Amino acid sequence: MRIVFMGTPDFAVPSLQSLVDHGYNVVGVVTQPDRPKGRKQILTPSPVKELAIKLGLEVFQPERIKREEAIEHVLSWKPDLIVTAAYGQIIPEPLLFTPKFKAINVHASLLPKYRGAAPIHQSIIHGEKETGVTIMYMVKELDAGDILSQAKVVIESDDTVGTLHDKLSQVGKNLLIETIKKIEEGTIHPIPQDDHLATYAPMIKREDERIVWNKTSTQIYNQIRGMNPWPVAFTTYKGQNVKVWWAEPFPYHHETEPGTILRVTKDQLLVATKDGAIELKEIQPAGKKKMDIVSFLQGAQVQEGEKLGEINEQEVDS
């Protein structure tokens, strides 16, 4: 079976590696073009490209996969199957239906829940107790193709996007191999999705990262976990943005406005929420490195009654 693999970020790396490890004939890899990264904006290859080069695979990086010349390039590899995993562009129809076994996708949710770009983030933010991986046929509509296989994964109460991402990518690589074997054997039984049960996981926007203190402690905790390690939730303090890497709900009765600092000691900082408090554990003030709250409180003059989360007008204007 001639396979073309299309993927870009770390999530897709185990799936590509697994295909090669199991002896599949990966005839080409399509990934996003190199992008500027970091403060120095150094042109950086995607994780999938780095692995493909290491494995000696041919790499193709079209700016627009929809263009005719890009489609022809991929089809010139004469794939029997196209495998995609977080590629990052909409796949044009000729690539979905021309290969003998069509195109399948490794998606990090239990479809039809959380179709879209950020299923791992959104499952944690919404407080889900379980998620999983779905292998499905790709169709023109977003993540709406027939389901070929699924595997569930429990979301632990302290899971972050980072830890859950790693679990799902490992589950995905195993499920992918099992699914391809069934496709080869002709024993796969596609199951149509129930569109009435579909929910969506849109890409994370800047406003999603801002902590709204007038929410419950659990909601804020889920938001912080659902932004860690990327893009990281933030609040403001004295007009400056402060990233909140980790915090935990803390039972505390108060009648204070949410966002107010309730308690400051040498090793504890409590902030009022709608129904209690959040204890900040690990933060990153603007222009500084990530630090635990003890280190922060040693150098900051934080006072009880001060407010977090007041809008930075300069940021709003920008």
Side-chain angles (χ1 to χ4, degrees):
M1 179 185 288
R2 296 172 63 85
I3 295 177
V4 167
F5 186 85
M6 303 178 69
T8 298
D10 288 322
F11 178 79
V13 167
S15 290
L16 174 57
Q17 182 70 62
S18 189
L19 287 171
V20 174
D21 289 346
H22 284 79
Y24 283 101
N25 182 19
V26 180
V27 296
V29 173
V30 185
T31 189
Q32 295 274 25
D34 296 1
R35 303 294 189 197
K37 192 174 181 181
R39 290 187 176 181
K40 295 184 178 179
Q41 293 290 282
I42 296 173
L43 211 55
T44 305
S46 74
V48 163
K49 180 182 178 181
E50 289 183 338
L51 176 61
I53 291 173
K54 181 180 174 183
L55 295 172
L57 301 173
E58 186 175 346
V59 177
F60 179 46
Q61 297 175 274
E63 193 67 45
R64 296 282 182 273
I65 191 63
K66 282 185 174 182
R67 289 178 180 165
E68 188 173 344
E69 59 269 27
I71 296 171
E72 289 176 354
H73 187 111
V74 176
L75 293 180
S76 73
W77 284 329
K78 301 185 184 308
D80 296 310
L81 175 70
I82 290 179
V83 174
T84 71
Y87 170 58
Q89 292 187 39
I90 295 175
I91 311 296
E93 288 191 48
L95 299 185
L96 301 182
F97 305 118
T98 302
K100 177 181 177 182
F101 296 110
K102 302 181 182 176
I104 63 174
N105 179 240
V106 184
H107 185 77
S109 84
L110 295 174
L111 294 171
K113 292 188 75 172
Y114 296 111
R115 295 174 177 175
I120 303 176
H121 291 79
Q122 298 291 1
S123 63
I124 292 179
I125 291 169
H126 287 87
E128 299 287 353
K129 302 301 181 188
E130 70 172 15
T131 182
V133 175
T134 300
I135 311 289
M136 61 173 179
Y137 277 132
M138 297 194 71
V139 293
K140 188 177 179 181
E141 294 77 21
L142 179 67
D143 298 331
D146 290 355
I147 294 171
L148 301 176
S149 56
Q150 286 187 320
K152 293 182 178 179
V153 172
V154 173
I155 301 177
E156 304 290 348
S157 61
D158 59 351
D159 262 329
T160 64
V161 166
T163 60
L164 187 57
H165 166 281
D166 292 348
K167 293 178 188 176
L168 293 171
S169 64
Q170 293 300 313
V171 169
K173 73 171 188 180
N174 296 329
L175 192 63
L176 175 63
I177 299 303
E178 293 172 15
T179 305
I180 292 177
K181 286 180 179 175
K182 291 181 180 178
I183 290 174
E184 286 181 300
E185 295 165 354
T187 58
I188 202 79
H189 300 291
I191 301 172
Q193 294 188 42
D194 186 345
D195 292 338
H196 294 94
L197 301 178
T199 60
Y200 291 88
M203 189 175 296
I204 299 295
K205 298 177 181 176
R206 181 61 172 166
E207 55 263 35
D208 299 324
E209 302 166 28
R210 182 188 297 277
I211 296 173
V212 177
W213 292 101
N214 191 25
K215 290 185 176 179
T216 67
S217 299
T218 298
Q219 287 175 318
I220 294 172
Y221 176 59
N222 290 341
Q223 179 191 10
I224 291 168
R225 294 191 300 130
M227 297 288 168
N228 181 339
W230 181 87
V232 185
F234 76 96
T235 186
T236 55
Y237 175 60
K238 295 182 177 178
Q240 298 290 315
N241 288 349
V242 177
K243 292 183 178 180
V244 180
W245 285 84
W246 193 249
E248 294 174 359
F250 191 95
Y252 194 101
H253 177 73
H254 66 84
E255 297 182 355
T256 309
E257 188 177 356
T260 302
I261 295 174
L262 295 168
R263 179 190 294 168
V264 182
T265 67
K266 64 179 182 180
D267 58 2
Q268 188 181 54
L269 198 161
L270 295 184
V271 184
T273 64
K274 181 180 180 181
D275 64 344
I278 282 284
E279 181 177 5
L280 301 186
K281 294 284 191 179
E282 198 171 40
I283 66 173
Q284 184 175 5
K288 296 185 179 181
K289 294 182 179 179
K290 180 169 59 173
M291 64 182 75
D292 60 40
I293 201 65
V294 175
S295 300
F296 172 72
L297 291 173
Q298 285 175 348
Q301 301 298 318
V302 182
Q303 303 293 323
E304 293 178 5
E306 292 180 322
K307 286 287 297 297
L308 298 183
E310 293 180 324
I311 299 297
N312 182 335
E313 296 299 339
Q314 289 182 339
E315 182 179 347
V316 172
D317 292 342
S318 65

